[in-house]
Amino acid sequence: MQISKTVSELNHYLDFERGKGLSIGFVPTMGALHEGHLSLVRQALRECNKVVCSIFVNPTQFNDAKDLAQYPRMPDADMAMLKESGCNTVFLPEVAEIYSSGEALLDIDFGQLETTMEGFYRPGHFTGVATVVDKLFQIVRPFKAYFGEKDFQQLAVIRRMAQLRSHSIDIVGCPTLREKDGLAMSSRNLLLSPDQRRASPLIFSALNEAGKMLQQESFSVVKRWIIEKINANSFLKVQYFDIVHPDTLASVKDDEHPKEARGCIAVLTEGPRLIDNVAYHLQ
């Protein structure tokens, strides 16, 4: 497995592979890898000739400097996991390699995709995400890029950015991987206290129960129920829960009858903030 720390090193390797007619798959990450990340790598390996995984904790997508400082970093463990997974090369840049001094962020209006849910509570977050992914796409120039559906809103923003920036890249959304008790895999789970970790499976179980309730109850009733259900646990507090149209992320209204919807949630603990989502098939 090759490790490239600079753009020039990575381009030298990838240009050689492209010269042989090989396709490049790309998995961008912020490290602290888990099985969810590795599932993206494995899918990329099935669909492309060579796979690049980047590890870069992107400072422009953090609203809180403390959150950036506390984000888990474990490069040695990450490298071992990627090597075992079969990843071909790792791009491990420093911040200065990605961002020039005084460089502006992308100026893109994503509309409702960035003003609701995560975008409402983390203003500027998706601009930072879109900017770094745009930069990485320009560097790697992959055939396909792989993202987990756990960050469903982020996936929608990246698809829109790729369209607006004319990236001819197939954006592949991959199913959320979960722990045995249902908690969505996340690097932030490492920061949960034992009590928070024991409480956290309630999020997924409530999301699933809400899907069953939607067969008989209105969207507004189900939204109230799930908030009350999770907030009854002293270690969890719902920041938001919404049932949205998967393509626009607009809230589904009680008088609408979509065939599919997506339940999206963010839950606060005294430690990390947890997000999750599930697909609802309604007809």
Side-chain angles (χ1 to χ4, degrees), residues 134-145:
D134 177 59
K135 287 177 176 293
L136 291 169
F137 280 179
Q138 292 181 59
I139 293 167
V140 179
R141 291 174 288 138
F143 171 59
K144 293 186 176 185

Side-chain angles (χ1 to χ4, degrees), residues 13-165:
Y13 168 78
L14 293 180
D15 287 346
F16 178 75
E17 299 299 334
R18 288 194 190 91
K20 297 187 290 185
L22 302 182
S23 61
I24 306 299
F26 180 42
V27 180
T29 81
M30 293 207 301
L33 303 182
H34 50 68
E35 185 60 29
H37 296 109
L38 299 184
S39 72
L40 305 183
V41 172
R42 285 192 286 268
Q43 181 164 342
L45 285 166
R46 290 193 296 269
E47 299 178 0
C48 302
N49 300 122
K50 297 290 182 179
V51 174
V52 177
C53 180
S54 64
I55 297 176
F56 179 66
V57 181
N58 177 39
T60 66
Q61 69 187 68
F62 286 83
N63 309 85
D64 184 344
K66 182 180 179 182
D67 192 21
L68 173 60
Q70 291 181 342
Y71 194 86
R73 293 164 171 84
M74 44 192 66
D76 292 340
D78 290 344
M79 295 299 169
M81 294 171 71
L82 288 173
K83 185 175 182 179
E84 185 175 354
S85 74
C87 181
N88 301 110
T89 188
V90 180
F91 183 40
L92 197 66
E94 298 291 338
V95 172
E97 190 70 16
I98 301 297
Y99 292 103
S100 303
S101 178
E103 188 175 8
L105 299 178
L106 281 182
D107 183 14
I108 294 180
D109 182 4
F110 291 105
Q112 185 166 266
L113 292 181
E114 67 172 340
T115 58
T116 187
M117 297 188 296
E118 290 297 291
F120 179 81
Y121 287 98
R122 304 177 69 187
H125 169 70
F126 287 124
T127 297
V129 170
T131 297
V132 76
V133 174
D134 177 59
K135 287 177 176 293
L136 291 169
F137 280 179
Q138 292 181 59
I139 293 167
V140 179
R141 291 174 288 138
F143 171 59
K144 293 186 176 185
Y146 298 80
F147 298 86
E149 288 186 348
K150 185 182 81 69
D151 297 291
F152 190 76
Q153 188 172 5
Q154 173 179 281
L155 179 58
V157 167
I158 289 170
R159 284 194 166 120
R160 181 62 174 152
M161 180 276 293
Q163 179 185 40
L164 292 172
R165 299 284 287 173

